C-alpha cells in the first residue's frame, strides 16, 4: 500500500475500502460544543469529518480552529479552505498552522461569491484559485518549499482534495476540469450533492474515459432532503445544483410527516446504486444540520462498521 | 475607454451648495461617449443645480464649461478664465481628470461629480461593459481573448467554478459566465486542449497591489 501522508482517509482509500466522510458547519459564535456535539454523533460512522470554511460566505467560527477541536477529540478532520478570503501569505500560514496540529487532509475550494453571505460589501481576494491552491499544497508538501522558494522546516503532510461539480455548466467540460485538477496534483475529490444520478453516471463515464479514476479517488457527495420544501429550494435557489423533477415530486407527494424518512430513503437508494458504479471510491454524506441521521444512512447502506487502518 | 456614472444629484448638491461661484466642468472624451461627463452633460447638470438653488433659495452662481480632456495640460488653455473665476469646480471627468485638476490647481477646490465605474467597451448604443482591469500583465493569450480578471466575479484563472449555470454567473442571471465564454471560444477555434493546461499563479505586483504605476519614455520627457 502506497501512501504519501499519515492521513487515515488516504490509508482507507489506498487499501481499497469505500471511504465515508461527512461534514459539519461551524457555529455563528464561539461555542466549541456546537462542533464537538455534532462530531460525537457521527464519529464512529465516518472516517473523517470536513469542516466548512465560512460556507455560502456567511461568517462563522473558523475552519482551522474547528478542525483542531476535532483533532483534540481524536477525530480525523478535513480542513476546507476557500481562496475567497485569504491571500497566499494567509493561506500558506494557515496550512502550516494546521500542519502543526497534524491535520492531514485539506480540501481546496474557491468558495461561493460573497454576495450570497452576510458581508456582500466585502472584498473577495482570490489571489489564488482552487486549482492553484492544490498546486500550492502539493508544492509545500512534496518540495518542502514555500511559494516564494524558501525551505519549510517540517513541511505539511496533507492528503490533498478538491470538490467537483458534475452538474455545473458547461457540462461537457466538467470532466476536463477534473483533469485540470488532477494535473494540478489533486488526490481525492468530494463531489457536489448528487440527485441526478443519470447525469452523474454520464460524468463518471467521461471521467473514466480520460483515465482519471486511476489517478484520483472520487467520493460521491449526497445530502438527504429533510422536506419537500428543501428539495424545491435546492432545485431553484442553489447555484450549480441539479435536482430532477421526479425527485422533487417524490418528496412533494409524500405526506408531510413522512417526508424526512423519504429523504433518507432517497439518499440510501442513491448510495446503493452508486456503490456499483466503477470509479466511485466512497461517499461524502453532507446532512446539513441533520448530522444525527448520518449513522442510520451509513448502517442501512452496509458501510458500517468502518474499517480500521493503522 | 473609461466609463463613469453621475453621482446622485442630492449628493452633488450637498457637496457644492456652500460655494458662491461654482463651475461644472465636463470632459469631452471617454465619459462623453457614455453620456455622463461630457460638455453637454455639464450644461444639463449645471441647469439642474441652478433649479435646485432656486428651489432652496440658495444664492450661488453656477456656470458650466468643459474641455476635450482633463487628463492633459495642453487642453486647459481655453478654460483658464472660467477656472480662475470659480471658487469650486465640480469636475465630471473620471477620477483621473479630477486628480489632474487637483495637481494643476493646488489652491482650487475640485470635487468629483461622477463615480468612475470601469474600463469598458460600447457593446451597442447605450450598453457599456467592463472588459479590462489594468492588471499590468495581460493574459488574454491564455484565456482565448476573454478577460477573466474583469469578467469573472472571482477573477479565476482556472475556471469555471461550480456555480456556472446555463452560461450565466452564479452572482446573477444577468451576468455572463466569463469562463463559459472562454470555453465556447476555445471550441470555436478548435483549441479545447488548451483548457486542461493549468494557468500558474499570477504575479500581482504589476497590479494595484504593487503600488502606484508609472510609464516613463525618457526620450519624450521635457
Ligand atoms: S460562474 Fe463563471 S464568471 Fe461567475 S464566478 Fe464562476 S467562473 Fe467566474
Amino acid at each position: 500500500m502506497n501512501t504519501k501522508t499519515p492521513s487515515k482517509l488516504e490509508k482507507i482509500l489506498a487499501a481499497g475500502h469505500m471511504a465515508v466522510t461527512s461534514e459539519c458547519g461551524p457555529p455563528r459564535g464561539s461555542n466549541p460544543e456546537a462542533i464537538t456535539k455534532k462530531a460525537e454523533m457521527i464519529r464512529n460512522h465516518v472516517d473523517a469529518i470536513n469542516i466548512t470554511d465560512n460556507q455560502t460566505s456567511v461568517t462563522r467560527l473558523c475552519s482551522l480552529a474547528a478542525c483542531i477541536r476535532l483533532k483534540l477529540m481524536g477525530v480525523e478532520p478535513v480542513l476546507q479552505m476557500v481562496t475567497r478570503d485569504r491571500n497566499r501569505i494567509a493561506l500558506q500560514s494557515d496550512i502550516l498552522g494546521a500542519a502543526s496540529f497534524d491535520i492531514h487532509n485539506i480540501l481546496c475550494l474557491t468558495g461561493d461569491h460573497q454576495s450570497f453571505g452576510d458581508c456582500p460589501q466585502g472584498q473577495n481576494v482570490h489571489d489564488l484559485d482552487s486549482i492553484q491552491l492544490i498546486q500550492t499544497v502539493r508544492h509545500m508538501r512534496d518540495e518542502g518549499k514555500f511559494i516564494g522558494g524558501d525551505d519549510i522546516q517540517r513541511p505539511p503532510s496533507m492528503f490533498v482534495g478538491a470538490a467537483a461539480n458534475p452538474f455545473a455548466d458547461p457540462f461537457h467540460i466538467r470532466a476536463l476540469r477534473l483533469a485540470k485538477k488532477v494535473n494540478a496534483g489533486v488526490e481525492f475529490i468530494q463531489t457536489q450533492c448528487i440527485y441526478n444520478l443519470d447525469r452523474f453516471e454520464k460524468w463518471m463515464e467521461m471521467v473514466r474515459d480520460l483515465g482519471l479514476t486511476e489517478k484520483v479517488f472520487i467520493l460521491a457527495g449526497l445530502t438527504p432532503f429533510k422536506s419537500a420544501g428543501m428539495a424545491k429550494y435546492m432545485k431553484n435557489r442553489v447555484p450549480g445544483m441539479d435536482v430532477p423533477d421526479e425527485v422533487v415530486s417524490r418528496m412533494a407527494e409524500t405526506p408531510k410527516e413522512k417526508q424526512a424518512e423519504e429523504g433518507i430513503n432517497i439518499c440510501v437508494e442513491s448510495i446503493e446504486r452508486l456503490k456499483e458504479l466503477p470509479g466511485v471510491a466512497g461517499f461524502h454524506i453532507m446532512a446539513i444540520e441533520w448530522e444525527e441521521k448520518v449513522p442510520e444512512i451509513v448502517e442501512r447502506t452496509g458501510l458500517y462498521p468502518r474499517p480500521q487502518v493503522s | 475607454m473609461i466609463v463613469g456614472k453621475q453621482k446622485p444629484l442630492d449628493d452633488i448638491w450637498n457637496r457644492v451648495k456652500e460655494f458662491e461661484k461654482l463651475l461644472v466642468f465636463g470632459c469631452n472624451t471617454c465619459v462623453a461617449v457614455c453620456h455622463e461627463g461630457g460638455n453637454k452633460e455639464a450644461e444639463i447638470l449645471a441647469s439642474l443645480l441652478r433649479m435646485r438653488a432656486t428651489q432652496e433659495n440658495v444664492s450661488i452662481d453656477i456656470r458650466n464649461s468643459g474641455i476635450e480632456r482633463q487628463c492633459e495640460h495642453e487642453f486647459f488653455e481655453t478654460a483658464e478664465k472660467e477656472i480662475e473665476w470659480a471658487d469650486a469646480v465640480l469636475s465630471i471627468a473620471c477620477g483621473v481628470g479630477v486628480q489632474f485638476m487637483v495637481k494643476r490647481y493646488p489652491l482650487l477646490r475640485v470635487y468629483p461629480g461622477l463615480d468612475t465605474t470601469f474600463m469598458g467597451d460600447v457593446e451597442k448604443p447605450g450598453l457599456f461593459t467592463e472588459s479590462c482591469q489594468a492588471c499590468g500583465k495581460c493574459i488574454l493569450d491564455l484565456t482565448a481573448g476573454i478577460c477573466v480578471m474583469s469578467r469573472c466575479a472571482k477573477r479565476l484563472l482556472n475556471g469555471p467554478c461550480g456555480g456556472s449555470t446555463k452560461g450565466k454567473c452564479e452572482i446573477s442571471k444577468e451576468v455572463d459566465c466569463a469562463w463559459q465564454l472562454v470555453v465556447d471560444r476555445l471550441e470555436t477555434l478548435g483549441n479545447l486542449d488548451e483548457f486542461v493546461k493549468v494557468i500558474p499563479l499570477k504575479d500581482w505586483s504589476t497590479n494595484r497591489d504593487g503600488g502606484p504605476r508609472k510609464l516613463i519614455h525618457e526620450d519624450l520627457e521635457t
Side-chain angles (χ1 to χ4, degrees):
Chain A
M1 193 169 72
N2 206 353
T3 55
K4 294 184 189 131
T5 72
S7 157
K8 178 172 118 192
L9 180 60
E10 183 184 13
K11 285 181 188 147
I12 286 175
L13 287 163
H17 301 296
M18 280 267 166
V20 179
T21 56
S22 184
E23 75 183 31
C24 295
R28 300 208 67 205
S30 62
N31 185 359
E33 277 177 22
I35 304 144
T36 50
K37 266 198 191 141
K38 286 179 182 176
E40 254 344 307
M41 287 179 209
I42 59 178
R43 63 181 298 167
N44 296 323
H45 287 80
V46 299
D47 306 320
I49 300 177
N50 288 38
I51 301 285
T52 52
D53 182 5
N54 296 300
Q55 81 265 26
T56 61
S57 307
V58 173
T59 316
R60 291 170 180 275
L61 187 146
C62 78
S63 175
L64 175 53
C67 283
I68 295 168
R69 288 278 164 200
L70 294 190
K71 196 75 198 178
L72 294 177
M73 55 194 284
V75 171
E76 170 125 330
V78 178
L79 175 71
Q80 293 198 185
M81 200 177 255
V82 301
T83 61
R84 179 190 59 228
D85 309 323
R86 276 161 290 196
N87 74 358
R88 61 189 79 179
I89 301 173
L91 291 169
Q92 293 179 96
S93 163
D94 281 359
I95 289 166
L96 291 184
S100 78
F101 282 94
D102 291 325
I103 289 170
H104 295 308
N105 308 291
I106 185 167
L107 195 80
C108 304
L109 304 167
T110 300
D112 295 314
H113 193 264
Q114 74 279 6
S115 56
F116 294 102
D118 64 338
C119 293
Q121 296 180 337
Q123 289 200 336
N124 62 18
V125 180
H126 298 299
D127 179 5
L128 311 187
D129 61 26
S130 60
I131 290 188
Q132 295 165 339
L133 181 58
I134 296 168
Q135 277 184 322
T136 300
V137 188
R138 286 295 302 264
H139 177 75
M140 292 173 77
R141 182 188 87 190
D142 300 343
E143 312 299 324
K145 288 191 190 304
F146 289 103
I147 293 173
D150 294 340
D151 288 338
I152 300 173
Q153 292 152 20
R154 193 176 184 265
S157 190
M158 291 180 176
F159 187 40
V160 182
N165 185 359
F167 307 106
D169 290 318
F171 177 62
H172 64 286
I173 59 101
R174 285 289 148 187
L176 284 181
R177 186 140 199 278
L178 179 60
K180 202 164 178 169
K181 290 191 174 177
V182 170
N183 284 347
V186 79
E187 296 166 315
F188 73 97
I189 291 289
Q190 292 169 323
T191 76
Q192 172 70 287
C193 327
I194 304 163
Y195 299 107
N196 186 341
L197 277 76
D198 294 339
R199 187 154 159 181
F200 181 73
E201 285 170 350
K202 180 90 200 60
W203 178 75
M204 280 299 290
E205 193 184 319
M206 290 155 79
V207 167
R208 284 196 306 272
D209 287 347
L210 291 170
L212 300 176
T213 46
E214 314 294 312
K215 297 179 184 156
V216 63
F217 296 107
I218 298 175
L219 275 59
L222 293 134
T223 293
F225 291 132
K226 260 185 184 173
S227 64
M230 176 179 173
K232 280 184 203 140
Y233 179 84
M234 298 277 257
K235 181 181 176 71
N236 299 322
R237 305 296 284 279
V238 183
M241 192 73 75
D242 180 353
V243 188
D245 291 333
E246 327 62 285
V247 181
V248 178
S249 30
R250 178 167 164 191
M251 287 299 292
E253 282 154 18
T254 306
K256 243 198 158 65
E257 61 295 350
K258 291 248 157 97
Q259 282 177 358
E261 195 185 319
E262 196 62 7
I264 301 290
N265 289 340
I266 294 174
C267 183
V268 167
E269 288 163 28
S270 303
I271 293 180
E272 291 295 2
R273 178 166 154 191
L274 295 175
K275 262 161 81 179
E276 307 303 321
L277 186 64
V280 170
F283 295 93
H284 180 53
I285 304 167
M286 299 162 271
I288 304 164
E289 297 303 320
W290 210 18
E291 288 80 4
E292 66 271 24
K293 287 291 172 186
V294 171
E296 180 187 332
I297 296 168
V298 176
E299 286 177 20
R300 280 178 60 188
T301 48
L303 294 164
Y304 187 78
R306 300 305 311 143
Q308 299 300 314
V309 289
S310 58
Chain B
M1 57 177 253
I2 295 175
V3 180
K5 193 170 177 357
Q6 266 182 35
K7 286 180 175 289
L9 193 67
D10 282 348
D11 293 5
I12 295 179
W13 174 245
N14 287 329
R15 180 36 96 192
V16 299
K17 65 184 178 194
E18 66 188 274
F19 297 104
E20 282 166 14
K21 289 184 279 183
L22 175 73
L23 180 67
V24 181
F25 199 50
C27 182
N28 223 19
T29 307
C30 304
V31 289
V33 176
C34 62
H35 308 279
E36 295 282 339
N39 298 349
K40 196 175 77 201
E41 287 76 36
E43 197 182 324
I44 300 168
L45 182 55
S47 22
L48 289 172
L49 290 170
R50 274 180 221 118
M51 275 158 59
R52 188 68 176 258
T54 317
Q55 279 165 4
E56 298 197 6
N57 241 337
V58 174
S59 154
I60 168 171
D61 189 356
I62 301 173
R63 296 186 189 171
N64 63 275
S65 173
I67 56 177
E68 274 315 290
R69 281 215 280 283
Q70 291 187 23
C71 55
E72 269 187 81
H73 287 298
E74 61 178 271
F75 296 99
F76 278 87
E77 226 163 85
T78 55
E80 254 2 316
K81 280 221 174 74
E82 285 143 329
I83 294 170
E84 216 167 281
W85 162 84
D87 22 77
V89 170
L90 178 73
S91 162
I92 53 173
C94 71
V96 179
V98 175
Q99 289 178 80
F100 195 77
M101 288 197 70
V102 166
K103 267 194 238 173
R104 190 178 158 95
Y105 304 102
L107 299 178
L108 183 65
R109 288 183 169 77
V110 185
Y111 296 107
L114 283 198
D115 290 317
T116 309
T117 41
F118 53 83
M119 273 188 281
D121 54 31
V122 192
E123 208 169 306
K124 57 181 192 193
L127 176 62
F128 306 88
T129 42
E130 179 168 24
S131 45
C132 178
Q133 285 270 303
C135 70
K137 196 152 202 198
C138 192
I139 50 143
L140 287 169
D141 57 324
L142 301 177
T143 56
I146 311 289
C147 176
V148 294
M149 287 294 110
S150 51
R151 297 170 71 181
C152 165
K154 301 176 189 168
R155 65 175 191 191
L156 302 181
L157 282 166
N158 295 283
C161 74
S164 178
T165 309
K166 298 192 174 75
K168 299 296 171 188
C169 173
E170 70 175 30
I171 61 163
S172 157
K173 289 196 171 77
E174 308 299 313
V175 177
D176 288 334
C177 168
W179 272 97
Q180 172 83 51
L181 300 175
V182 174
V183 168
D184 289 349
R185 195 166 146 84
L186 285 173
E187 278 193 307
T188 309
L189 302 179
N191 277 351
L192 201 57
D193 326 344
E194 293 277 308
F195 177 75
V196 282
K197 289 189 197 148
V198 176
I199 298 182
L201 273 60
K202 187 162 170 70
D203 172 2
W204 293 108
S205 68
T206 58
N207 193 49
R208 177 207 62 78
D209 309 82
R213 296 165 281 180
K214 251 188 197 155
L215 171 71
I216 302 173
H217 281 301
E218 277 168 11
D219 49 332
L220 297 177
E221 277 188 305
T222 51

Short mmCIF file of all heavy atoms in Angstrom, two decimals, chain B residues 205-222:
data_model
loop_
_atom_site.label_atom_id
_atom_site.label_comp_id
_atom_site.label_asym_id
_atom_site.label_seq_id
_atom_site.Cartn_x
_atom_site.Cartn_y
_atom_site.Cartn_z
N SER B 205 2.17 41.88 -8.68
CA SER B 205 2.96 43.08 -8.37
C SER B 205 2.80 44.14 -9.45
O SER B 205 3.11 45.30 -9.23
CB SER B 205 4.43 42.72 -8.17
OG SER B 205 4.99 42.31 -9.40
N THR B 206 2.32 43.74 -10.63
CA THR B 206 2.09 44.74 -11.69
C THR B 206 0.70 45.36 -11.56
O THR B 206 0.33 46.27 -12.28
CB THR B 206 2.18 44.09 -13.08
OG1 THR B 206 1.21 43.03 -13.14
CG2 THR B 206 3.56 43.53 -13.34
N ASN B 207 -0.10 44.80 -10.66
CA ASN B 207 -1.46 45.28 -10.41
C ASN B 207 -1.40 46.40 -9.37
O ASN B 207 -0.31 46.75 -8.89
CB ASN B 207 -2.27 44.08 -9.89
CG ASN B 207 -3.75 44.29 -9.88
OD1 ASN B 207 -4.33 44.72 -10.86
ND2 ASN B 207 -4.39 43.99 -8.76
N ARG B 208 -2.52 46.91 -8.95
CA ARG B 208 -2.58 47.90 -7.89
C ARG B 208 -1.77 47.48 -6.66
O ARG B 208 -1.19 48.30 -5.95
CB ARG B 208 -4.05 48.12 -7.49
CG ARG B 208 -4.28 49.06 -6.34
CD ARG B 208 -5.55 48.76 -5.60
NE ARG B 208 -5.57 47.43 -4.99
CZ ARG B 208 -4.96 47.11 -3.87
NH1 ARG B 208 -4.28 48.01 -3.20
NH2 ARG B 208 -5.01 45.88 -3.38
N ASP B 209 -1.72 46.16 -6.42
CA ASP B 209 -1.05 45.62 -5.23
C ASP B 209 0.41 46.03 -5.13
O ASP B 209 0.97 46.06 -4.05
CB ASP B 209 -1.13 44.09 -5.25
CG ASP B 209 -2.55 43.62 -5.48
OD1 ASP B 209 -2.98 43.59 -6.66
OD2 ASP B 209 -3.23 43.32 -4.51
N GLY B 210 1.03 46.29 -6.28
CA GLY B 210 2.45 46.65 -6.27
C GLY B 210 2.69 48.13 -6.02
O GLY B 210 3.84 48.58 -6.05
N GLY B 211 1.62 48.89 -5.77
CA GLY B 211 1.77 50.33 -5.58
C GLY B 211 1.47 51.06 -6.88
O GLY B 211 1.31 50.45 -7.92
N PRO B 212 1.40 52.41 -6.81
CA PRO B 212 1.03 53.19 -8.00
C PRO B 212 1.99 52.94 -9.16
O PRO B 212 3.19 52.79 -8.96
CB PRO B 212 1.15 54.65 -7.52
CG PRO B 212 1.16 54.59 -6.05
CD PRO B 212 1.68 53.26 -5.65
N ARG B 213 1.44 52.88 -10.35
CA ARG B 213 2.24 52.52 -11.52
C ARG B 213 2.57 53.74 -12.36
O ARG B 213 1.86 54.73 -12.34
CB ARG B 213 1.47 51.47 -12.33
CG ARG B 213 1.30 50.20 -11.52
CD ARG B 213 0.26 49.26 -12.08
NE ARG B 213 -1.11 49.65 -11.75
CZ ARG B 213 -2.18 48.98 -12.14
NH1 ARG B 213 -2.04 47.89 -12.86
NH2 ARG B 213 -3.38 49.38 -11.80
N LYS B 214 3.65 53.62 -13.11
CA LYS B 214 4.13 54.72 -13.94
C LYS B 214 4.65 54.16 -15.24
O LYS B 214 5.18 53.05 -15.26
CB LYS B 214 5.34 55.35 -13.23
CG LYS B 214 5.07 56.70 -12.67
CD LYS B 214 6.34 57.33 -12.16
CE LYS B 214 5.94 58.47 -11.24
NZ LYS B 214 6.92 58.80 -10.27
N LEU B 215 4.55 54.94 -16.29
CA LEU B 215 5.19 54.57 -17.55
C LEU B 215 6.09 55.73 -17.93
O LEU B 215 5.64 56.88 -17.98
CB LEU B 215 4.12 54.33 -18.62
CG LEU B 215 4.63 54.16 -20.05
CD1 LEU B 215 5.34 52.81 -20.21
CD2 LEU B 215 3.48 54.24 -21.04
N ILE B 216 7.36 55.45 -18.17
CA ILE B 216 8.29 56.54 -18.49
C ILE B 216 8.90 56.32 -19.88
O ILE B 216 9.41 55.23 -20.17
CB ILE B 216 9.44 56.61 -17.46
CG1 ILE B 216 8.85 56.82 -16.05
CG2 ILE B 216 10.40 57.76 -17.80
CD1 ILE B 216 9.86 56.73 -14.94
N HIS B 217 8.81 57.34 -20.74
CA HIS B 217 9.54 57.33 -22.01
C HIS B 217 10.57 58.43 -21.92
O HIS B 217 10.26 59.60 -22.12
CB HIS B 217 8.58 57.65 -23.18
CG HIS B 217 7.76 56.47 -23.58
ND1 HIS B 217 8.33 55.29 -24.01
CD2 HIS B 217 6.42 56.29 -23.63
CE1 HIS B 217 7.36 54.44 -24.30
NE2 HIS B 217 6.19 55.01 -24.07
N GLU B 218 11.79 58.05 -21.60
CA GLU B 218 12.80 59.08 -21.36
C GLU B 218 13.01 59.99 -22.56
O GLU B 218 13.22 61.19 -22.42
CB GLU B 218 14.11 58.43 -20.95
CG GLU B 218 14.10 58.14 -19.46
CD GLU B 218 15.23 57.26 -19.00
OE1 GLU B 218 16.16 57.03 -19.80
OE2 GLU B 218 15.16 56.80 -17.86
N ASP B 219 12.91 59.39 -23.76
CA ASP B 219 13.15 60.19 -24.97
C ASP B 219 12.11 61.28 -25.16
O ASP B 219 12.33 62.26 -25.87
CB ASP B 219 13.21 59.28 -26.20
CG ASP B 219 12.04 58.31 -26.24
OD1 ASP B 219 11.51 57.96 -25.16
OD2 ASP B 219 11.63 57.92 -27.35
N LEU B 220 10.95 61.14 -24.54
CA LEU B 220 9.89 62.14 -24.73
C LEU B 220 9.80 63.14 -23.59
O LEU B 220 9.06 64.11 -23.66
CB LEU B 220 8.54 61.44 -24.88
CG LEU B 220 8.39 60.52 -26.10
CD1 LEU B 220 7.04 59.84 -26.06
CD2 LEU B 220 8.55 61.31 -27.39
N GLU B 221 10.55 62.88 -22.53
CA GLU B 221 10.44 63.76 -21.36
C GLU B 221 11.02 65.13 -21.63
O GLU B 221 12.05 65.25 -22.30
CB GLU B 221 11.16 63.13 -20.17
CG GLU B 221 10.28 62.13 -19.45
CD GLU B 221 10.93 61.64 -18.17
OE1 GLU B 221 12.06 61.15 -18.22
OE2 GLU B 221 10.28 61.76 -17.12
N THR B 222 10.35 66.16 -21.08
CA THR B 222 10.90 67.50 -21.28
C THR B 222 11.34 68.09 -19.95
O THR B 222 10.87 67.71 -18.90
CB THR B 222 9.84 68.44 -21.91
OG1 THR B 222 8.64 68.35 -21.13
CG2 THR B 222 9.60 68.09 -23.34
#
